[in-house]
Amino acid sequence: MGTDTVRTPPADGAAELKSQQRGWYFYDWACSVYSTSVLTVFLGPYLTSVAESAADAGGYVHPLGIPVRAGSFFAYSVSLSVIVAVLVMPLVGAAADRTGRKKPLLAAAAYLGATATTAMFLLDGDRYLLGGALLIVANAAQSVAMMLYNSYLPQIAPPEQRDAVSSRGWAFGYAAGSLVLVANLVLYTGHDSFGVSESTAVRICLASAGLWWGAFALIPLTRLRDRRSAAREAALPGFRQLAATVRDMRRHPLTLAFLLAYLVYNDGIQTVISQASVYGSEELGLGQSTLIGAILLVQVLAVAGALTMGRLARIYGAKRTILGSLVAWTLTLAAGYFLPAGAPVWFFVLAAGIGLVLGGSQALSRSLFSHLVPPGKEAEYFSAYEMSDRGMSWLGPLLFGLTYQLTGSYRDAIISLVGFFVIGFALLARVPVRRAIEEAGNPVPDRI
């Protein structure tokens, strides 16, 4: 791929680019329901309860003969999913860049994840192993699909539009999450009136996220356009391809420095997202309807937060805006440690703080990274980027699970995540992003 072909959207015409951007937004609309309804709200507490029903007298389950505290099983499953993602994403990313055929690969990953999520309807009784397996498949597929989706951003938006386009994509996702969560809340709280049990209502909510994902994925798959490239060397298997990608990144040390900062602070963000409902239910003693309401508040405020932070980036630059969001994350998480049990109001206050910075910090990180990727390496580099996105990061959930296993306290587990934001801030502050963009071979926007 030549630089002109990849970095600046070519002569497709303004109308064609707008059409592709609108289609691109709808993949966030399609898949964010999985991240919200499944990963953030329902699956953590539900899979934990399924594991607890299968646990022995000491509170342990024994997958493959390994003793695991039932309360840590969900976090460990999330961690295991990143191992699968690490093996698959670099291989798929390199193949996408080599052939230019991103869309068939995006379709395969999206529908594998949607199918696994729909199959979560089968999680009843003590089928915790099935739940863990479906979570691993869905999370890994989501990670691969998002890597390919993100790699379209340089293709469909010129540099000066990236922050705005990326922010709108996140806003679409949070809007869909809000809409579906309202339906989930109606079904869950009124399950008796609908003639279904609480467990069945949860399983319907899980499966409906998979159906939503599969249905709306058709829109981006219809509108996005692939750009074929000349064949390059064959992609390598698993870790060898990852090692080859990292070696290539060493030729762009400032890009690698930003990615390291992102991997650290986004690890904290994604662990908070994936474990917040477990913290609320197990440590604070909050009911499922309260948790759904809090997550719904996060979704609604995240729409406004993503768009507002996109506007702030036009004034202060993406880097400064992200740094400000990391300060807010640190303060919010520290406050979460002191939340009193059985006090929904304070949990809603915490949710509001998270919502206002969540979408913007993610959207601006994505658009900023897109400027730092060398031409023709979009999918390959975004495979490394995506390893820490949407709950795929392994270190945060592992630390959360280990801290709980060692202390028996979810408060200690949640406060252990503060370091990710502090270290991430320090690493990002040291990255000279203008020079990084120039060294990657890309045009520098007026405000970055």
Side-chain angles (χ1 to χ4, degrees):
M1 288 185 184
T3 300
D4 291 340
T5 301
V6 178
R7 307 311 298 176
T8 302
D12 288 339
E16 171 64 17
L17 284 180
K18 286 293 184 184
S19 176
Q20 291 192 57
Q21 288 173 8
R22 293 189 188 102
W24 187 80
Y25 299 150
F26 267 97
Y27 188 74
D28 246 326
W29 175 274
C31 71
S32 291
V33 172
Y34 164 81
S35 300
T36 302
S37 291
V38 177
L39 190 62
T40 306
V41 178
F42 285 108
L43 189 58
Y46 184 71
L47 185 55
T48 299
S49 69
V50 171
E52 288 172 346
S53 70
D56 59 22
Y60 286 82
V61 291
H62 300 269
L64 304 178
I66 302 170
V68 174
R69 190 188 289 267
S72 296
F73 181 75
F74 173 69
Y76 288 157
S77 297
V78 173
S79 295
L80 185 57
S81 70
V82 78
I83 298 176
V84 178
V86 165
L87 288 169
V88 175
M89 281 195 297
L91 181 63
V92 175
D97 286 331
R98 188 180 72 253
T99 65
R101 293 178 58 83
K102 297 178 186 177
K103 193 156 64 170
L105 295 170
L106 174 60
Y111 283 103
L112 177 61
T115 300
T117 304
T118 304
M120 290 178 184
F121 181 78
L122 302 176
L123 300 183
D124 58 355
D126 58 359
R127 296 178 178 176
Y128 75 97
L129 280 177
L130 176 62
L134 291 175
L135 169 59
I136 291 167
V137 171
N139 252 359
Q142 164 75 327
S143 188
V144 172
M146 284 302 298
M147 172 267 293
L148 294 165
Y149 164 72
N150 287 337
S151 71
Y152 275 99
L153 181 58
Q155 178 178 313
I156 64 172
E160 66 276 7
Q161 294 182 11
R162 301 256 180 93
D163 290 343
V165 170
S166 183
S167 296
R168 290 189 197 110
W170 280 107
F172 262 63
Y174 285 117
S178 301
L179 179 64
V180 174
L181 267 183
V182 170
N184 291 159
L185 185 59
V186 170
L187 175 61
Y188 180 80
T189 57
H191 61 84
D192 287 335
S193 62
F194 288 103
V196 297
S197 66
E198 180 178 322
S199 173
T200 301
V202 171
R203 292 187 291 118
I204 290 173
C205 291
L206 294 173
S208 65
L211 296 175
W212 178 283
W213 186 357
F216 285 102
L218 291 171
I219 298 176
L221 292 174
T222 299
R223 293 198 174 191
L224 290 173
R225 300 287 180 263
D226 279 340
R227 306 199 190 287
R228 303 297 175 86
S229 63
R232 297 202 296 265
E233 69 278 3
L236 301 171
F239 282 117
R240 291 179 61 194
Q241 182 61 57
L242 175 61
T245 301
V246 172
R247 284 196 301 271
D248 185 77
M249 285 182 170
R250 291 175 65 183
R251 298 190 298 110
H252 304 279
L254 296 181
T255 298
L256 192 58
F258 172 83
L259 182 60
L260 176 61
Y262 173 77
L263 291 177
V264 171
Y265 70 74
N266 192 60
D267 202 335
I269 292 174
Q270 296 306 324
T271 307
V272 172
I273 293 172
S274 66
Q275 304 303 323
S277 58
V278 176
Y279 180 68
S281 62
E282 300 295 324
E283 183 67 35
L284 303 182
L286 301 176
Q288 189 76 350
S289 58
T290 298
L291 296 176
I292 296 173
I295 299 301
L296 177 58
L297 178 62
V298 169
Q299 300 297 301
V300 172
L301 292 179
V303 175
L307 297 176
T308 299
M309 288 183 65
R311 295 187 185 98
L312 289 175
R314 290 201 296 267
I315 301 172
Y316 301 105
K319 178 183 174 180
R320 289 182 180 178
T321 307
I322 295 170
L323 288 172
S325 75
L326 296 182
V327 173
W329 271 108
T330 302
L331 296 176
T332 301
L333 194 61
Y337 176 83
F338 298 101
L339 287 185
V345 172
W346 289 110
F347 192 72
F348 282 122
V349 172
L350 183 72
I354 291 174
L356 290 174
V357 295
L358 175 60
S361 57
Q362 293 173 316
L364 294 179
S365 296
R366 176 171 65 186
S367 60
L368 182 54
F369 183 71
S370 73
H371 294 287
L372 307 179
V373 177
K377 295 280 188 176
E378 288 79 13
E380 188 176 345
Y381 272 56
F382 266 110
S383 70
Y385 177 91
E386 185 62 25
M387 285 175 192
S388 188
D389 208 3
R390 294 181 178 269
M392 292 294 102
S393 163
W394 62 272
L395 184 57
L398 180 62
L399 177 62
F400 187 93
L402 284 174
T403 303
Y404 174 74
Q405 178 144 342
L406 293 173
T407 68
S409 169
Y410 282 107
R411 291 186 187 274
D412 292 337
I414 204 74
I415 201 64
S416 70
L417 305 178
V418 167
F420 288 100
F421 298 100
V422 175
I423 296 171
F425 180 97
L427 292 173
L428 178 58
R430 294 173 58 87
V431 179
V433 292
R434 285 187 173 274
R435 184 151 59 92
I437 295 171
E438 292 172 349
E439 292 184 4
N442 298 315
V444 182
D446 293 334
R447 179 72 67 180
I448 193 67

